[in-house]
Amino acid sequence: MSGTSNSQKDQITTSQTAVMVINYMLGAGILTLPRTMVEAAKTPDVWISILISGTIILASGWIIVKLCSRFQGQTLFQFLPEITGRAIAMLISILVISYFLAISAFEIRIMAETGFYLLEGTPSWAIVMTFMWIGLYLILGGVSCLSRLYEIILPITLVFFLIAILLSSRIFDIDHLRPVLGSGITPVLKGIKPSLLSFTGYEIMLVALAYMKNQGKANKAMIAGVTVPVVIYLITVIMVIGGLSINGLEKRTWPTLDLMRSFEVQGLIFERFESLLLVIWIMQIFSTFTVTHYAASLGWSQMFNRNFRPFVFAMLPVIYLIAMVPKDINQVFNLGDMFGNVSVYLFGGVPLILLFVSILRKKGAKPE
Amino acid sequence: MKRYLLFVLRIAVAVSLVLNTGCWSSNEIEDLSVYVGLALDVAQESKFEQGIEKQGASYPKHNMLTATVQIVPPVTGKGQKQGGTSSEQATTYINEKLTGDSLIQIFRQFALRRDRPLIGHHLKVIVVSSELAKRYSLEQIFDFVLRDNDIRPSCLVLVSHRNAFESLSTSEPGEIPAIYLAGLVKNRYRSNKIIPPVSLIKLDSRMQSGSSFLLQNVITSENEHKFSGAGIFKGSTKKWIGELNEFDLEGLSWFSFDVIGGAVKTYAHEGYTITYEPKRSNSKIIPKVQGDDISFHIKVSSEGSLMEDWSFPEIPSSEEYMRELEKLFEKQVNKQIQQVLYKMQHVYRVDVGGFNEQLRIKYPKVWNRVKEDWDETFSSIPITYEVDMNITDFGSSND
Amino acid sequence: MWSILMTFIPSWKLIAQAFLLLAVPVLMILMSKVIRKSVVNTFALKPDSPSPPETEIGLANVPITGTYDSDIVTVRNAIGDQADVLIREIVISGTETRVAIVFLEGLTDSDLIDSHLITPLIHRGVPEEDRSSFHDSLSAYLTERLIPASDIKKSSDFQALVEGILFGQTGVLVEGLQEVLLIGTAKGKSRSLEEPMSEALLRGPRTGFTERISDNTGLLRRHGENGSLTLTKFQIGSRVKKILILAYMRDIADPNLVDEVTSRIQRIDIDDPIESGYIEQLIEDNVLSPFQQMQNTERPDRVIAGLLEGRVAILLDGTPFALVLPVTFSMLLQSPEDYYERWLPGSFMRLLRFLAALLALLAPALYISFISFHPGLIPTKLALSIIENRQGVPFPSFIEALIMEISIEILREAGIRLPKPIGPAMGIVGGLIIGDAAVNAGIVSPFLVIVVAVTAISSFTIPVYSAGLTLRILRFTGMFCAATLGLFGVVMFFLLICSHLVRLKSFGVPYVTPIVPYGFSDWKDLFVRVPLKIMKMRPVMFNAKDKDRRN
């Protein structure tokens, strides 16, 4: 029961690592993904963009794994000073931590925003606080508890999600997806950026890899962790476009929810799936929130070499205040886009530089 | 002692938190008015409204539309249950009418009249009167409905020939007209005069795409309803411009959406009735582009059975006879298609047959060039068609 | 610029909320620490004042003199005032040696004393030829030639004598002997082996444990010839001493687990562990958890199956309930029948039980959240009929459900207390009448009665009674959550339970194994029970020494 989450005993398996990456990626993004992509690309071919960006993510994930496996059993925050020296390490760590905090806050805010579908009239702070307290309780259990919970909720969410979204095949029309590449490849490339944003999540490997029981399999976990969200996103985008058509979804705030609202299945206990999906998806948002909250707290604690628990508590109000800064939903979405951009540089570019530097300065062990 | 005091304090804080938060947004289902149907008409103040306005109960508004909501089930006193159930032939719904110029404001006006607020989760059918749709664009009329979080985009949209609220009333006891209308759409396997249901989300996507579209028309007489034909809405304005009748719809159905049921009736050379029931059909609109010239070819093939034959004396169902009848049916379908194409191209000058979709899919570049003014371009495009009918069986009797 | 920045500075209200956000969990943590601490203090490792009331009789180290008259007085002074102590004085025939036989009435086998103690001493006595040598080796002669009993112990002080007598042995004081003979004649009343009440099976052995530990260990031994079954004996209880037996398979169970359990048992400090529930509560990991961390069972077959998986069992004298540990969540929904029936029906039953557990836990909560928060989620036709049914119900659905659930719980509790023939009848009649009357009176809606009935029936399918209790408690928590936050509350409740479960451990084994971490080998016996031929390995989670089930 002790909160020593950094102890050697607190280890996670390869599948748990993969699940952690999956659960981090599958967050609030899926609710808006079809719209953001179609808005940018204006073509039904955006599913190709997802495949392309999935490949890009795999590449940057590979770099992160390469970097981390030079420092067995150490998280980013622990090995950074070795590579860059204390001052720069501090800077990068703080950047990464703020990023995690921001993502955490973003998820909280999205949940508060979608909350009105479920609970019109309940103040959002009540919704958010319950959510954060339960997250806190979980995080205090350390990384192995987090990953165990993720493994419980992943199948539940995926099964419900897939059932719900496949049931929408009754309004699916393949003509909405045709013609393939009708307007050429350029719009597809434009769709890559917004889809990259929803793939943020692989960066948790910077932390999680240190706790893996079998660090040699980190690449496997990474590939599994990226492939599943790619498939889920692919199905989502195809079904949403096929069901609503790009014209229909462009003006919807939450296109994935609206897809669920656009059909009724009679003869089942549930005719309507949107609240069900939302409720189930809250669990995914919960996992994204907890993992980022955990990573940020861990970052502080390892940077200052202090006990982990006080930081978990201290981060609660910080995340809450960040989450409540945007004034309206458009600011929230803009903020989300901004985080996505930051993530591309922070976790696409920086690890590559770090890897080069560490190879040049011969820091860390060579991975076998 | 101090410790216990603190403990009690903590408990008190926890309890008060729970009590304060209890049941914020809870609203018992029976305390809500579930409305299943919504009819939108041109402003037509009810007697009640005229009455209260005379007493000065009014707020600043232009009378632009009248909204009728159908609330089910009406509140019944619990006591009635004890008495004879057969004696009460009460209607199973209430229609409420209010007039104004903002749909949401009208809806909130209901809060002044009913203790049970309206919820739109169960809205099944929206009926718009053609009169209203002629004056205002559907985009304007449906703006609130599309924004509202309660109303589901799966809700069916119909257009009514006359007053829309009439289609929400019935003289049949026990019937809820809105649910009845929503159920009619499912009969597509029995009749090809029903177009595939247009839900709110489909309506939205069609309005966004800027193409013209159809909405099923419902006509009412003596409180009874029938689907008949479809209203045509022009893509550029989203206003009602006319309608296709049942016969046109049959023609349209052959190439625009797959026919899975219905009946094709024609007369043999001798003058007696023969009827063909299509089981499945396959249609293809093939766009052809040569240079700047666009043309379409429609290919329809259908399989079905000969279900009625009034020939007397009975002609045995021989192979030649079948081929002969097939020709007759093909001629009939050709006639239907020709008529609807004429209406589309020359009367209303709109494309509601899905030609644009096929062009977009096959020739996206050409489509991008012509999409701006498609309805006009369409009306002068040559369209050829061929129909192939196959009688595969003739029911249980073969003579 | 400044003014734009200013707009992003959170308002006082937000800061207050953020403070609340932080303060509540801090308070909760402190509170749980206080509770935990007070719990630990209450059952401290050492009693506050070490005063096991050794002996008021003051017989410690008083030797037996061998002088018959003084010895018998000492004994009389010590325990002569006990109502059930009998002292029978006889003379060994053939000699003039006086003998006192001291025993407890009711705890000893008087037939045995008559036939194997009194008969040889009075009736046969010492034959002619031995009389001379008799006095030289009195003690040896008695045990070797005269008394035909299997269990004879010798003791030379009164302390042991008195304790022996009080435990059911028969003390034999012989004139001129500076020792006392303690003959094992204990015979407590015990009931015969019956089918366990709380864990009835259609198919499977019909025997259950009894209150006597020797019977119970015998049942385990008799289960089959088995060299590796190890029964370690502990004596616990400071005032009332009881035998506790730790059973495990020597070459299967993880030695670390055995050590851990041993050390926890040795730390038990209580006057009298009346039932194995005491043991359970004294050695469990988490006192505040609603989930049991040990499995209790009356079935020897269940214990043996547990031991073969690498688990450890604790048997206590005086109770038919053995504890099997560690336990994980999935085991609470498993029944031995799953294994006795063929694998298809076994798996089906098990899946059914998982569904039932889910229903028992969440059905009323879902009802509340649908009726009070999400009328849009119910199919339209159902919604209409619910509205009609609920018309005139004066309470919100939460109160309505609470009324019915509490009355069901009361009925169930009453059913247990009532004599056996009346119990079930009362349950049915009470349930029917209350349900029907409540609907007719318009207090509850018929739909709720269905929900409550389904919930109650579902909770009867849980094969472990204590687990059913847990679900019943949690059901009410779920209802509260649903009443506050609707479906969102239910999901939060679910997440809270899951968060608790992943943090909970039973003797080092995470409570949610083998559900997570994903491992195919242990899933073979989770939601479905695959054919026995495929289940070749023992569960990985218990870290068994011998992993192969076929050995």
Side-chain angles (χ1 to χ4, degrees), chain B residues 7-135:
Chain B
F7 191 78
V8 169
L9 209 82
R10 279 172 199 154
I11 295 276
V13 167
V15 167
S16 67
L17 250 172
V18 169
L19 287 183
N20 280 330
T21 56
C23 319
W24 264 307
S25 38
S26 83
N27 249 328
E28 302 306 307
I29 187 168
E30 75 272 14
D31 296 335
L32 299 167
S33 291
V34 173
Y35 66 99
V36 291
L38 170 66
L40 299 169
D41 280 298
V42 184
Q44 221 173 13
E45 292 201 315
S46 62
K47 285 216 181 84
F48 165 76
E49 279 180 290
Q50 286 163 1
I52 57 165
E53 247 157 64
K54 266 186 211 142
Q55 302 173 39
S58 180
Y59 62 98
K61 61 175 179 179
H62 303 285
N63 282 348
M64 280 163 70
L65 55 85
T66 298
T68 312
V69 292
Q70 180 152 73
I71 298 168
V72 285
V75 193
T76 51
K78 189 80 186 170
Q80 282 179 2
K81 226 181 165 183
Q82 303 290 329
T85 41
S86 58
S87 64
E88 53 166 334
Q89 280 289 342
T91 45
T92 39
Y93 61 91
I94 312 172
N95 282 353
E96 285 280 354
K97 248 201 277 184
L98 276 179
T99 308
D101 49 3
S102 147
L103 210 45
I104 176 76
Q105 201 178 25
I106 294 174
F107 272 58
R108 295 301 176 252
Q109 285 291 312
F110 282 114
L112 303 177
R113 297 197 43 206
R114 303 226 144 245
D115 64 334
R116 309 188 306 166
L118 290 175
I119 56 155
H121 298 285
H122 292 283
L123 184 57
K124 294 274 180 206
V125 174
I126 300 175
V127 189
V128 191
S129 79
S130 54
E131 208 43 43
L132 182 71
K134 219 189 281 180
R135 285 191 209 172

Side-chain angles (χ1 to χ4, degrees), chain A residues 6-212:
Chain A
N6 311 2
S7 73
Q8 274 324 98
K9 267 171 77 186
D10 214 19
Q11 283 188 328
I12 55 179
T13 65
T14 313
S15 68
Q16 280 178 327
T17 319
V19 168
M20 201 179 239
V21 176
I22 296 170
N23 269 6
Y24 184 4
M25 278 195 190
L26 296 179
I30 204 160
L31 300 176
T32 50
L33 177 70
R35 178 173 52 79
T36 52
M37 291 185 74
V38 168
E39 265 175 357
K42 306 247 182 265
T43 158
D45 297 329
V46 285
W47 55 272
I48 303 176
S49 326
I50 288 186
L51 287 179
I52 297 174
S53 44
T55 327
I56 298 175
I57 293 297
L58 266 183
S60 31
W62 183 80
I63 292 171
I64 287 184
V65 170
K66 216 52 195 163
L67 174 68
C68 289
S69 36
R70 295 180 74 86
F71 303 91
Q72 299 272 322
Q74 280 184 306
T75 67
L76 174 78
F77 310 108
Q78 287 167 324
F79 67 66
L80 254 182
E82 260 189 74
I83 303 179
T84 59
R86 229 178 135 64
I88 302 177
M90 199 86 145
L91 183 74
I92 297 178
S93 293
I94 289 179
L95 270 179
V96 172
I97 289 170
S98 337
Y99 170 80
F100 280 134
L101 284 178
I103 291 286
S104 200
F106 178 70
E107 297 291 327
I108 287 286
R109 182 57 189 261
I110 289 286
M111 213 214 35
E113 292 291 338
T114 48
F116 70 96
Y117 268 96
L118 285 172
L119 294 167
E120 232 162 317
T122 303
S124 62
W125 58 263
I127 299 180
V128 164
M129 281 186 191
T130 339
F131 190 80
M132 293 179 83
W133 287 335
I134 294 172
L136 174 82
Y137 176 67
L138 176 69
I139 292 167
L140 289 178
V143 69
S144 59
C145 289
L146 285 175
S147 51
R148 259 181 248 144
L149 184 86
Y150 297 160
E151 281 192 304
I152 295 177
I153 61 181
L154 182 72
I156 300 176
T157 48
L158 281 196
V159 165
F160 272 97
F161 182 75
L162 287 179
I163 288 177
I165 204 143
L166 291 179
L167 276 174
S168 79
S169 62
R170 55 183 55 223
I171 58 166
F172 181 80
D173 186 354
I174 190 78
D175 280 350
H176 291 154
L177 284 162
R178 290 164 72 194
V180 177
L181 291 178
S183 32
I185 194 83
T186 355
V188 174
L189 296 180
K190 274 190 207 155
I192 291 180
K193 214 192 89 191
S195 64
L196 274 181
L197 311 188
S198 24
F199 280 112
T200 59
Y202 62 97
E203 61 267 19
I204 196 61
M205 280 303 250
L206 289 170
V207 176
L209 200 135
Y211 295 99
M212 277 182 74

Side-chain angles (χ1 to χ4, degrees), chain C residues 444-503:
Chain C
V444 300
S445 75
F447 195 68
L448 174 74
V449 176
I450 300 174
V451 171
V452 170
V454 167
T455 311
I457 292 171
S458 300
S459 65
F460 287 128
T461 60
I462 313 296
V464 180
Y465 177 72
S466 323
L469 289 179
T470 306
L471 285 187
R472 279 154 71 180
I473 299 168
L474 290 178
R475 181 193 306 154
F476 284 95
T477 325
M479 283 162 63
F480 275 106
C481 291
T484 329
L485 289 170
L487 212 46
F488 176 78
V490 177
V491 171
M492 287 298 111
F493 169 66
F494 179 77
L495 280 179
L496 182 63
I497 290 186
C498 284
S499 302
H500 175 68
L501 283 177
V502 297
R503 291 186 62 169

Side-chain angles (χ1 to χ4, degrees), chain C residues 404 430-440 444 449:
Chain C
M404 279 314 273
L432 281 180
I433 290 180
I434 289 185
D436 192 46
V439 169
N440 276 334
V444 300
V449 176

Side-chain angles (χ1 to χ4, degrees), chain C residues 300-320:
Chain C
D301 53 334
R302 222 174 193 177
V303 171
I304 289 287
L307 297 185
L308 285 172
E309 282 181 340
R311 298 205 271 161
V312 167
I314 293 175
L315 296 102
L316 184 71
D317 198 10
T319 173

Side-chain angles (χ1 to χ4, degrees), chain A residues 16 44 141 151 184 219 277 298 309 336:
Chain A
Q16 280 178 327
E151 281 192 304
N219 259 323
L277 178 78
L298 190 74
R309 288 169 79 99

Side-chain angles (χ1 to χ4, degrees), chain A residues 1 13 15-16 19 111 117-119 122 125-134 136-138 140-141 145 148-156 264 268-276 279-280 282-283 286 309 313-314 316-317 320-321 324-327 331, chain C residues 7-11 13-22 24-26 29 33 36 285-286 370 373-382 484-489 491-496 498-505 510-513 515-518:
Chain A
M1 282 306 293
T13 65
S15 68
Q16 280 178 327
V19 168
M111 213 214 35
Y117 268 96
L118 285 172
L119 294 167
T122 303
W125 58 263
I127 299 180
V128 164
M129 281 186 191
T130 339
F131 190 80
M132 293 179 83
W133 287 335
I134 294 172
L136 174 82
Y137 176 67
L138 176 69
L140 289 178
C145 289
R148 259 181 248 144
L149 184 86
Y150 297 160
E151 281 192 304
I152 295 177
I153 61 181
L154 182 72
I156 300 176
E264 284 180 14
L268 290 183
I269 308 168
F270 298 106
E271 268 178 16
R272 291 111 196 271
F273 288 88
E274 73 274 11
S275 303
L276 198 67
V279 157
I280 292 296
I282 283 173
M283 295 196 217
F286 180 76
R309 288 169 79 99
F313 281 94
L316 267 186
Y320 181 75
L321 288 177
M324 292 304 157
V325 161
K327 297 256 172 318
Q331 284 189 4
Chain C
T7 61
F8 283 103
I9 289 179
S11 66
K13 210 173 134 195
L14 270 181
I15 290 175
Q17 285 168 4
F19 177 74
L20 183 70
L21 180 70
L22 180 63
V24 171
V26 169
I29 291 277
K33 258 189 191 156
R36 223 177 272 276
D285 292 65
N286 190 343
F370 283 164
F373 288 85
H374 312 286
L377 251 177
I378 314 170
T380 306
K381 281 175 187 162
L382 185 59
T484 329
L485 289 170
L487 212 46
F488 176 78
V491 171
M492 287 298 111
F493 169 66
F494 179 77
L495 280 179
L496 182 63
C498 284
S499 302
H500 175 68
L501 283 177
V502 297
R503 291 186 62 169
L504 190 61
K505 280 184 176 181
Y511 209 63
V512 280
T513 41
I515 304 171
V516 294
Y518 299 159

